[in-house]
Amino acid sequence: MVATAEPTTLADWTDLAERVTPRTGVFIDGQFRDAQSGETFDSVNPATGELLARVASAQADDVDAAVAAARKSFESGAWSKASPAERKRTLQRLSELILAHRAELALLDSMDMGKLVTEAYNVDVPSAADLFAFYGEAVDKINGEIAPTEPGNLALVSREPLGVVGAVTPWNFPLDLAVWKVAPALAAGNSVVLKPAEQAPLSSLRLGELAVEAGLPPGVLNVVPGLGPSAGAPLGLHPDVDVLAFTGSTETGKKFLRYAADSNLKQVWLECGGKSPNVVFADADLEQAAEMAIFGAFYNQGAVCSANSRLLVEQSIADDFVADLVRRAQEMRLGNPLDPSAGMGAIVDESHTSSVLGFIERADGEILTGGRRRQVDGRGCYIEPTVVSGLAPTAELVTEEVFGPVLAVQTFRDDDEAIAMANNTIYGLAASVWTNNLRRAHTVAAALRAGTVSVNTVDALSAQTPFGGFKQSGFGRDLSLHALDKYTGLKTTWIRF
Ligand code: NAD
């Protein structure tokens, strides 16, 4: 489906939604097919509770077929040995096709997991397109090396594609997080088997189809929708997968390390959870800090790995700052994700809604605003933006990832205490600092143990900069040219003359 005019109203989006036909098969060797078992799982729109599609539930035999197709395509050289110019053109065509199907892809993600369609349309889909263009451009610009060895020797260091890459992705930014893996893996010349999250597989299935339309040889990108234990585990355990790139929870990430150890020692790259602190000093631009604290906590219904879900605010300004924050949270309008005037959409499914509400019910603190489940037009999974204070440093809401619209507020007295509190976590994905003092900005940013520190903004990221964490947030880096390191092996060739 290609939208002819830019959709701008709820009526436009509703009309387009009726014309979207989700792809539902396992995508192997350029073709959709049923799962060999014939099993399916339901894709339900969390905003309405309506069934969107019955999607093939891939099992180990389907994963085997997908890995075999990927291996065959890799060995054929149709992509792995294609000229850099051809690989670049194909990825650029895919980038253009993604933009041509911008509304459709935005709708698929929005209906699958409840995000605001305008955010998917304005941010997620263009970012996915840009990333294929970015890695497409990189294909013919990255050189090998000649090492400075003794005379009479020539030591060439080249980057080789690694073979079959398994990519396992989460539901919160379904299209983008798939592309964060797939684009650099393909640019490096690998073949890929993508296992999207069962909560939101539809945009990944469409991506597989668009890639073939762009000219990617069949079998180079395969997509196996299915559940974690029945489709993700066989991919993680597969003896013919060379690299497994994972984004998801820390708990599942640990399983992939075990799968690799129990199978073929495949390389595993993990991008896992977070509990990112947002540290606000009294000398900051407090108006902007409050606005962005709301964004950092509640964007995408709080389902952001690097969500700023812990607010650390300097004690001297805490009362006024938190009152302002509460007022802003109360102004956010929960709404139909297809309604461009909505401020926050739906929670991905019933099970996650219960999980988030469980954190709120168990919270041993004061709920300053929110905390309740809501419906829109009498249906759907929605939770009010929730702000909680008065929590002990060991409280569950301070230490554990909720992955929903719940902000834990704490106060600090000075820089040292702020740094200690911010770093007191098993995670290390992101952190934000608000201050107009240059020296403080640098010293605090340097002391924070996080893969990305944003000063006077939150959650900054771009295609050009690496994204990933320290500690139990994982160790892989997505985005930027550094991501290519995960999908290439260095090979040294010595020539003696
Ligand atoms: P999840 O760990 O439940 O699932 C992620 C993927 O792993 C899904 O495809 C799922 O089917 C699969 N999976 C689940 N159990 C499995 C098993 N036993 N064996 C094999 N595969 C299995 O995570 P989620 O709920 O989809 O996503 C939320 C998590 O993702 C949060 O922790 C969030 O912080 C994290 N995340 C991290 C980043 C990052 O870049 N660091 C980005 C987005 C999300």
Side-chain angles (χ1 to χ4, degrees), residues 167-173 177 180-181 195-199 226-234 236 246-253 255-256 259 270-274 303-306 352 401 403 427 429 467-469 473-474 478:
V168 178
T169 51
W171 52 262
N172 58 328
F173 293 94
L177 294 178
W180 284 20
K181 312 287 188 206
K195 208 300 276 174
E198 55 272 37
Q199 296 88 342
L227 311 186
S230 47
F246 170 80
T247 300
S249 64
T250 296
E251 191 188 340
T252 310
K255 292 193 174 127
F256 277 95
Y259 296 152
L270 302 180
E271 329 284 338
C272 298
V304 177
C305 52
S306 47
H352 193 57
E401 183 180 42
F403 217 55
Y427 297 111
L429 191 54
F467 182 91
S473 291
D478 280 328

